[in-house]
Amino acid sequence: MARAKDKDTAGAPARTDERENGFVPPARLSVRKAYKMLVGGQFVRSESGRYIQVADPMSLGGTKENVPWASRKDVRDAVVVARGAWEGWSGRTAYNRGQILYRLAEMLEARQGELARSLERGGLEASRAATETAVAIDRVVSYAGWADKYQSLFSSLNPVAGPHFNFTVPESMGVVGVVAPARPALLGLLGAVLPIITAGNTAIVLASEEDPRTALVLGEALATSDLPGGVINVLTGRAAELLPHLAKHMEVAALDLHGVTPELARKAEEAAIVNVKRVRTRSIDEAAWFDADGATSPRWIERFVEMKTIWHPSGA
Amino acid sequence: MAAEGGNGKGAAGPSGPRTYPDFSAPTVDKVMVEERAAALGKRSIKKEAKVAGLLLSIAMMDLTTLEGKDSPGKVTQLCQKAMRPHASPEVPPCAAICVYPKLVPVAKHALAGSSVKVASVATAFPSGLSALDVKLDDVRRAVAWGADEIDMVIDRGALLAGEKTRIFDEIAATKEACGSAHLKVILETGELGTYDLVREASQIAMLAGADFIKTSTGKVTPAATPAVTLVMLEAIRDFFYATGKRIGMKPAGGIRTAKQALHYLVLVKETLGDAWLTPDLFRLGASTLLNDVLMQLETQRTGAYQSGDYFSKD
């Protein structure tokens, strides 16, 4: 019956507004979001219960929003899951890792508007925010392409004076700790992490302190992509507080530091001595992150691989 | 209420009827026991207290390997680790090594002159589904080969079928077969289904002459849980009040982290008091736990979180 009635009115102009149907939309309470960090594929608050307040210029009355303020123990928990994820991630075929990265680009594309809006709320103009988001997604596509190609570039067949084949191939290192640059908050984080995970490592990222919220929005896209839990772990907090713990951790194989003060970098390098961590610092200006040619060079992947040389009797 | 001491006088032969002590035990409030066991895991134990607790847990550890692929080489290596778990001198040796009977002579040889005991599982471990004389032979042989402690399993099928006296007789017979060796009775709580039956099985084992009661074989999940351990600790406490005898407790299976180990120590301390906080009356059956405890101790000493890559695997 109701169907027939619908059919009758379908042709008529849809002027019937809600009130005519007897429906008055109620006044709504605002539904505010609790931003959470991504650790091991799970959304978590800081175990410490601490929060950092971030401005929310788009809200009425200029209220602030809370983002988690990670503690030493959050770092510890993240390292445990990152290490647990490493075997599975590095054990996948390079081709499969490339497919998963491409899937991540698909997920980001669907959330393009939300990511751009978050960058705006973090202080960017609308046009810049849109550009950064687009470039960031393209960056993921670039590294998806690199996933099964960099090996051939870094490998070599070495001439040796003896009856041996001698060849060198890249392998992943393990858990890599990353301090993302303050700006660009989204492109910088992805640009730093992508070469690391493309090589089969797993990563713990300390997000930009200028716009930590965008990293957490990104975390929601990471969690819904096919990326296994624990491959990228996103923490928000203070790098000066957390980096020394990451640098001392015996399970962390390497550090990638962006825009870190020389004093803090030095402190990290000293703490990294305990297990001979590889520490790389990378200070490029904001514009350089947008330069597709420079920022997608396979040399960025090469920074976090271990080269393995194999001697094999050739019988000749 | 326990009417008598319950020291089994050996296997009941086919000759004549015998009387049994009262096996009845109070029922267990499932919700509250789980609540209390969980609450006792929320203590914040830090710094010196944590280090002391971790060192104690090592001294109480039955370092276990019960795999079909166990070899003399692996057992020898594990014995070395039990005698000296870590380079630092303050780390004590473990309480015992727990192995299959065939590997008892290997462990005995490797541990000669040390304080580490050799415990052997026996009685058709892990199922316990063999004829009684086969099981007793298993026990006698393990003792003859040098086992200081016997970890027996009860026949869960019989218990679930209500054959309580049969369980009592088997434990009593095993106790006799042990001679001077200590007897730990594995209830395999993961197969018993209810806390009430766990409590009753504890009562039967203690009355039949167990020196220790133990939660699990490690071959069944769930293995040891804080709640089931609390039920058994309360049975031990009430048995002590009734008879004046101190029975030991050994949770085993699924205890992998230092945090869990400390949780069990809190359960013991709060239920039975300091008298039970000794390797003579409390043991932790575990294989991977030791490395986690050692890593935590190193973290406390150095201030840096540790990696399993720097600790021996077995």
Side-chain angles (χ1 to χ4, degrees):
Chain A
M1 297 290 274
R3 239 157 137 205
K5 202 176 169 194
D6 282 350
K7 228 172 187 182
D8 289 341
T9 54
R15 284 228 326 275
T16 52
D17 70 16
E18 288 132 344
R19 217 151 292 157
E20 270 178 52
N21 285 340
F23 176 74
V24 181
R28 294 189 65 226
L29 292 172
S30 62
V31 180
R32 298 181 67 85
K33 183 184 206 166
Y35 289 90
K36 295 187 187 179
M37 306 186 291
L38 182 72
V39 175
Q42 306 286 317
F43 297 109
V44 297
R45 300 180 168 91
S46 170
E47 62 79 37
S48 64
R50 301 181 303 177
Y51 286 91
I52 297 168
Q53 295 219 306
V54 182
D56 182 14
M58 289 192 179
S59 78
L60 296 170
T63 54
K64 293 188 166 188
E65 285 189 323
N66 289 333
V67 300
W69 180 352
S71 70
R72 170 174 70 88
K73 290 188 178 177
D74 292 315
V75 169
R76 174 197 64 184
D77 294 347
V79 173
V80 170
V81 294
R83 169 65 190 226
W86 175 51
E87 231 155 82
W89 180 241
S90 60
R92 284 171 188 266
T93 62
Y95 174 68
N96 184 233
R97 280 203 297 274
Q99 283 183 310
I100 290 174
L101 288 178
Y102 191 83
R103 175 75 179 164
L104 172 60
E106 293 173 11
M107 290 298 112
L108 293 175
E109 187 78 10
R111 288 172 184 262
Q112 201 168 7
E114 192 185 355
L115 286 163
R117 214 174 92 88
S118 177
L119 285 171
E120 279 182 63
R121 292 163 80 200
L124 293 194
E125 283 169 20
S127 62
R128 280 207 61 132
T131 308
E132 184 180 332
T133 308
V135 175
I137 297 171
D138 293 349
R139 188 76 23 107
V140 180
V141 176
S142 296
Y143 278 100
W146 274 126
D148 59 355
K149 297 173 188 69
Y150 72 89
Q151 296 86 345
S152 320
L153 293 178
F154 303 159
S155 298
S156 60
L157 187 60
N158 314 315
V160 287
H164 292 91
F165 284 129
N166 183 286
F167 46 99
T168 301
V169 292
E171 286 193 336
S172 68
M173 299 181 71
V175 179
V176 181
V178 182
V179 178
R183 297 279 181 193
L186 175 64
L187 177 60
L189 191 155
L190 276 172
V193 171
L194 283 167
I196 290 167
I197 65 163
T198 300
N201 303 297
T202 53
I204 293 157
V205 202
L206 306 182
S208 157
E209 289 181 43
E210 278 185 33
D211 181 8
R213 185 173 37 209
T214 298
L216 301 180
V217 174
L218 172 68
E220 289 163 20
L222 296 173
T224 50
S225 72
D226 290 343
L227 210 60
V231 173
I232 301 180
N233 303 281
V234 183
L235 301 179
T236 49
R238 305 284 182 224
E241 176 196 350
L242 301 177
L243 181 57
H245 296 294
L246 208 47
K248 266 195 296 189
H249 203 306
M250 298 290 284
E251 197 83 270
V252 176
L255 295 174
D256 190 14
L257 312 179
H258 299 270
V260 166
T261 63
E263 304 84 72
L264 185 57
R266 190 187 157 77
K267 227 169 142 182
E269 285 192 43
E270 284 173 357
I273 290 169
V274 283
N275 67 339
V276 210
K277 264 183 208 69
R278 184 179 299 178
V279 182
R280 295 279 185 270
T281 50
R282 183 181 180 188
S283 289
I284 56 177
D285 59 32
E286 218 180 312
W289 288 100
F290 287 84
D291 167 27
D293 285 342
T296 61
S297 160
R299 294 296 169 207
W300 297 124
I301 300 174
E302 197 181 17
R303 298 195 316 154
F304 293 104
V305 297
E306 211 65 87
M307 301 307 280
K308 180 169 78 178
T309 296
I310 301 162
W311 293 69
H312 192 281
S314 68
Chain B
M1 283 289 116
E4 40 182 278
N7 250 331
K9 297 282 188 294
S15 58
R18 53 175 298 179
T19 54
Y20 289 94
D22 181 9
F23 298 145
S24 68
T27 55
V28 179
D29 181 339
K30 178 172 183 287
V31 173
M32 281 312 291
V33 83
E34 286 174 358
E35 175 84 16
R36 177 163 169 78
L40 290 175
K42 288 177 186 152
R43 301 252 168 108
S44 178
I45 300 167
K46 303 286 179 201
K47 310 276 179 205
E48 296 85 2
K50 182 174 183 180
V51 171
L54 293 176
L55 291 173
L56 184 60
S57 75
I58 291 177
M60 289 172 162
M61 215 174 285
D62 281 6
L63 206 54
T64 305
T65 180
L66 294 171
E67 290 171 13
K69 63 176 190 223
D70 284 348
S71 63
K74 183 181 177 189
V75 170
T76 306
Q77 151 68 17
L78 205 64
C79 289
Q80 299 299 332
K81 189 158 180 170
M83 288 190 285
R84 195 155 186 218
H86 196 257
S88 41
E90 77 267 21
V91 176
C94 297
I97 282 282
C98 185
V99 292
Y100 274 117
K102 196 190 151 194
L103 292 154
V104 166
V106 177
K108 197 72 191 166
H109 177 73
L111 293 170
S114 78
S115 64
V116 183
K117 301 262 196 301
V118 179
S120 171
V121 296
T123 69
F125 181 92
S127 71
L129 296 177
S130 246
L132 180 59
D133 52 350
V134 174
K135 295 202 271 188
L136 294 180
D137 195 44
D138 198 12
V139 171
R140 286 194 198 97
R141 205 159 303 195
V143 173
W145 280 336
D148 305 300
E149 301 170 357
I150 295 293
D151 288 27
M152 74 168 285
V153 287
I154 62 168
D155 181 343
R156 282 84 72 190
L159 183 63
L160 288 166
E163 299 177 54
K164 293 171 198 167
T165 55
R166 182 153 141 208
I167 302 295
F168 179 89
D169 289 342
E170 290 203 358
I171 296 170
T174 308
K175 171 70 182 169
E176 192 180 72
C178 281
S180 61
H182 274 227
L183 176 64
K184 305 191 199 112
V185 178
I186 303 172
L187 308 181
E188 195 64 300
T189 54
E191 291 187 338
L192 297 186
T194 65
Y195 292 124
D196 286 347
L197 194 55
V198 170
R199 177 81 199 224
E200 202 169 12
S202 307
Q203 183 75 3
I204 296 170
M206 291 186 293
L207 286 168
D211 297 301
F212 264 78
I213 50 176
K214 174 175 168 184
T215 58
S216 320
T217 59
K219 307 287 182 198
V220 168
T221 28
T225 64
V228 91
T229 304
L230 181 57
V231 170
M232 292 167 70
L233 289 170
E234 286 175 349
I236 291 171
R237 180 192 60 198
D238 293 349
F239 188 78
F240 173 69
Y241 287 151
T243 67
K245 278 195 205 154
R246 290 199 163 101
I247 306 294
M249 172 70 202
K250 177 177 171 184
I255 307 171
R256 298 198 179 84
T257 65
K259 201 168 191 173
Q260 284 174 293
L262 292 174
H263 186 175
Y264 283 103
L265 293 186
V266 172
L267 287 172
V268 175
K269 163 96 179 165
E270 291 298 324
T271 315
L272 297 169
D274 290 335
W276 263 265
L277 282 177
T278 146
D280 292 336
L281 287 170
F282 187 73
R283 297 283 180 84
L284 291 158
S287 45
T288 52
L289 171 64
L290 179 56
N291 269 10
D292 196 63
V293 172
L294 292 175
M295 280 163 64
Q296 291 303 319
L297 284 168
E298 274 301 278
T299 301
Q300 293 297 316
R301 193 178 65 81
T302 62
Y305 289 118
Q306 300 296 304
S307 160
D309 292 350
Y310 301 89
F311 293 82
S312 65
K313 287 281 179 263
D314 289 316

